[in-house]
Amino acid sequence: MKAKILLILFFIAMVVAACGQKKEKTRNSLKISTAPFGNMPDGTPITLFTLVNSNGMIVKITNYGAIVQSLTAPDKNGKFEDVTLGYDKLEDYIRDKSYFGCIVGRFGNRIAKGKFTLDGVEYTLATNNGPNHLHGGIKGFNKVVWDAEPIKNRESVGVKLTYLSKDGEEGYPGNLHCTVMYTLTNHNEMQIEYKATTDKATPVNLTHHSYFNLSGNGRRNILDQQLWINADFYTPVDETLIPTGELAPVKDTPFDFTKPTAIGARIHDKNQQLEYGHGYDHNWVLNDADGSLKLQASLYDPVSGRLMEIYTEEPGLQFYSGNFLDGSIIGKYGVRYTRNYCAVLETQHFPDSPNQLNFPSTILRPGETYHTVTIYKFLTK
Ligand code: GLA
């Protein structure tokens, strides 16, 4: 009898343990799924990849423009909401001129007058921003269809996107083979790993252009969100937003974010640089940038408690406070995007580097591999 009871108890214990294990498995399950996201005007089908981590964070990525279409992060009560601006439909991204969520390339930010000289040869690029070349030209990497494949590992899920930018595209020399790997980890990180190789020397400066707004589903502007940038210097610009070449100290200016500061605290100060940018639209020179992955910036929303940390290997960070959003765009959740509705935080080399030889070089040569990693990590406090 006793033996029978013991056997039954043992059996019950086994069943409970097995159930627990199953629960644990479900909790840890990382998921990736794909769905159609419409067609290009020529009929090319576009895909939307949905990545989910074990905490329930969701990142949606499309192979049109390598765009992050949405990204959710928990607030201090554990509520996941979207912290990026953008659209619901492919057609809106095709029409878009604001670079929502995309990969920018071949060269992030501006090249003066769309010209540069490399190894004695002058190259002329497309000009699409007043007199200057911006974000890769008229049809940058944000406007092309990338090849994409889902990736699943033990601790992360991701999408590997590849694109061949042909010799002469938008005026750039060399066939550039690019790979961008987006990864979502169980530590609530979106990691972006960029790689490129070329068959002719060319400037390369890839970056990511998500419009972050930590309030959740775009419910408030970003003026009360606190920005920290680990930078004692920034690169002042002329009236067309081309760096003057100077590295200016941020101390005693509205550009000092060495301590977390509300974005709106000084954005309306009388300051010629803010006038040129219509707000913040400048590149910060990150301290101690030695090519290794470092925590270099953060954004914090005191209301929701959401905190985003940015780790990067890049020497610069462009902070654009959405100064060109004029209320004409209605985006996700039916929100009208007005000025200062976002913080675009683009890890990069400095604008106009091909013409500014005192800036870190952006030239990639045959035989070399361009390789850089940036992580956007989501926490609460
Ligand atoms: C970058 C530029 C801005 C603006 C946006 C896109 O951040 O620096 O001037 O062009 O992209 O609207």
Side-chain angles (χ1 to χ4, degrees), residues 208-228:
H208 176 67
H209 210 280
S210 268
Y211 282 61
F212 291 106
N213 181 331
L214 300 183
S215 67
N217 297 354
R219 61 169 62 81
R220 290 183 302 276
N221 69 31
I222 45 96
L223 293 175
D224 292 332
Q225 295 178 27
Q226 296 169 8
L227 181 63
W228 167 70

Side-chain angles (χ1 to χ4, degrees), residues 98-99 109-110 134-135 209 211 281 318 320 324 346:
S98 305
Y99 303 86
N109 217 275
R110 293 170 177 81
L134 173 69
H135 287 341
H209 210 280
Y211 282 61
D281 193 356
Q318 181 85 13
Y320 165 62
F324 301 121
E346 305 154 69

Side-chain angles (χ1 to χ4, degrees), residues 63-74:
N63 62 320
Y64 175 70
I67 287 169
V68 171
Q69 188 266 335
S70 74
L71 185 158
T72 69

